[in-house]
Amino acid sequence: MRHYDLPPLAQLEAFEAAARSLSFTKAAEELSLTQSAISRQIKALEEHFEFPLFRRLHRALALTEDGQTLYQSVKEVLGQLHEVAGRLKKRTAPRMVVVTTTPGFAGIWLIPRLAGFTAAHPEVDVRISAQNEFANLNRDGVDVAVRYHTREGVGDGAELLFSEVIFPVCSPKLLRDPARPLKKPEDLRHHTLLHMETSAATVLQSWPMWLRALHLEGLANAGTLHFSAYDQLIQAALAGQGVALGRSPLIDVLLREKRLVAPFRPTLASPRSYFVIQSAAAARKPEVQAFVAWLHREAQADAEAAARAPVDPASAPPSSAKAARPRSPGRGSGGSRGRALA
């Protein structure tokens, strides 16, 4: 068994710092030690080699010839160790993907299927920031944004994830109530309508706009509940608290699982879609590219599943090809804003 007759690493580190700066005081500051501790380390090293390493001058230090020889070797070896340790640490450190999106997209579409990505990429740490405010990707250290916006307002470099159509959805148990039929749009008068708080981003996806498109502006419904976040609204629909406007393909999994149903066919094409935007540094991060590719595969799988679904208004998402286009209530309703509820 080979034995290396070497002094402790701490003594070599103290010597390298003192030899480089020619000062025990500066070496002590660099290594967060006392000057006396550095002196003891150097003395122990000199005793190990049995020759002096420094010449103590008046208010100065100088390396001896042997000390200079040792310094060159120690500097090279410690530098190599530092480089190798850095590479190994970087290789074993978890890779991170920071994602920002709306609470609705995160809660309904992204989080329920995220386990599929993490199972395939266990070394990647996905961190989701669900907020309605738009983050500055490069300034805030965000890798990917999934934004709900118009094509004109989302900006250059955005990749379309999916468009959406809007139509009423509810819990299946509402369809089983003979006292409150729900077979045609006019039957909505028997039910509570679940509303999102209206803003410039959501006015074209609201109940007033959907009813207007069907010429039912004067419909008096049984009740109203308002929500500030779309995932909260969908949870209320799942609980049977009323009828919501579903966004396909955002809720398609819930439709396929028959946890929600679409009681009738009329749909409204949304002026907004979901777009993927990457930061300037994302192209250099394989983990980010893997995540973006996974997003697109999931969206494509949803589209293929919807195409295979039975044409049953109580179980299948309506086709976007039959969606009516909304009539804009006024200029600026679909424009670019820094806030978009979803």
Side-chain angles (χ1 to χ4, degrees):
M1 182 176 179
R2 186 171 183 179
H3 174 69
Y4 294 95
D5 184 18
L6 295 174
L9 181 61
Q11 294 179 11
L12 295 175
E13 288 180 312
F15 168 71
E16 189 279 333
R20 176 165 31 85
S21 62
L22 292 177
S23 168
F24 287 0
T25 301
K26 292 180 180 178
E29 293 174 353
E30 179 180 328
L31 299 177
S32 300
L33 298 172
T34 63
Q35 182 177 351
S36 60
I38 294 293
S39 296
R40 289 194 298 271
Q41 298 277 30
I42 299 301
K43 182 179 179 181
L45 194 61
E46 290 176 326
E47 290 175 351
H48 174 85
F49 288 114
E50 298 181 350
F51 55 74
L53 299 171
F54 291 95
R55 288 187 292 120
R56 279 71 169 173
L57 306 175
H58 180 63
R59 294 187 177 180
L61 281 178
L63 285 166
T64 64
E65 184 176 348
D66 290 332
Q68 184 65 44
T69 300
L70 180 63
Y71 172 61
Q72 294 300 325
S73 179
V74 168
K75 179 175 67 171
E76 181 179 349
V77 170
L78 291 180
Q80 290 176 348
L81 284 173
H82 177 76
E83 181 182 352
V84 170
R87 288 203 307 269
L88 292 174
K89 184 177 180 181
K90 184 176 181 180
R91 189 179 67 186
T92 57
R95 293 181 289 169
M96 187 187 307
V97 177
V98 180
V99 184
T100 180
T101 189
T102 62
F105 181 86
I108 298 173
W109 194 92
L110 179 57
I111 293 174
R113 64 186 73 206
L114 190 58
F117 177 81
T118 55
H121 303 273
E123 77 285 358
V124 179
D125 178 9
V126 180
R127 302 193 177 186
I128 299 173
S129 173
Q131 57 183 347
N132 291 314
E133 301 299 329
F134 284 174
N136 183 310
L137 273 62
N138 299 316
R139 182 195 64 203
D140 299 337
V142 177
D143 298 304
V144 179
V146 180
R147 288 182 174 164
Y148 184 59
H149 221 301
T150 61
R151 174 74 268 185
E152 297 77 16
V154 73
D156 297 333
E159 306 171 30
L160 177 66
L161 187 61
F162 51 71
S163 300
E164 67 176 10
V165 292
I166 300 168
F167 50 91
V169 296
C170 64
S171 167
K173 64 184 177 183
L174 291 188
L175 298 183
R176 298 193 291 267
D177 184 354
R180 296 187 299 163
L182 192 55
K183 297 181 179 180
K184 56 185 183 297
E186 291 80 359
D187 290 337
L188 289 169
R189 67 181 183 273
H190 303 297
H191 294 271
T192 296
L193 300 187
L194 308 179
H195 288 255
M196 283 283 294
E197 290 182 355
T198 303
S199 69
T202 61
V203 66
L204 294 179
Q205 297 97 309
S206 65
W207 273 115
M209 184 56 63
W210 191 88
L211 293 169
R212 178 184 174 188
L214 270 69
H215 307 290
L216 295 173
E217 293 97 324
L219 184 82
N221 52 286
T224 300
L225 289 174
H226 282 84
F227 300 87
S228 62
Y230 190 64
D231 55 336
Q232 298 171 358
L233 182 146
I234 291 299
Q235 287 300 319
L238 289 167
Q241 295 179 15
V243 183
L245 281 176
R247 299 177 182 177
S248 176
L250 205 62
I251 61 164
D252 282 4
V253 170
L254 298 175
L255 291 168
R256 289 196 293 272
E257 294 174 349
K258 298 189 178 181
R259 297 173 62 195
L260 288 177
V261 293
F264 30 75
R265 301 296 293 175
T267 65
L268 191 68
S270 172
R272 292 183 173 236
S273 301
Y274 287 87
F275 296 89
V276 177
I277 305 173
Q278 301 182 47
S279 69
R284 301 191 299 271
K285 298 180 178 181
E287 59 272 22
V288 176
Q289 298 310 303
F291 182 79
V292 171
W294 172 79
L295 286 176
H296 285 290
R297 287 196 302 272
E298 288 293 313
Q300 181 62 32
D302 274 359
E304 293 172 356
R308 295 192 301 268
V311 186
D312 176 1
S315 62
S319 169
S320 60
K322 299 180 181 179
R325 290 289 173 182
R327 291 176 287 169
S328 174
R331 182 179 176 181
S333 61
S336 173
R337 294 292 178 95
R339 180 174 173 84
L341 294 177

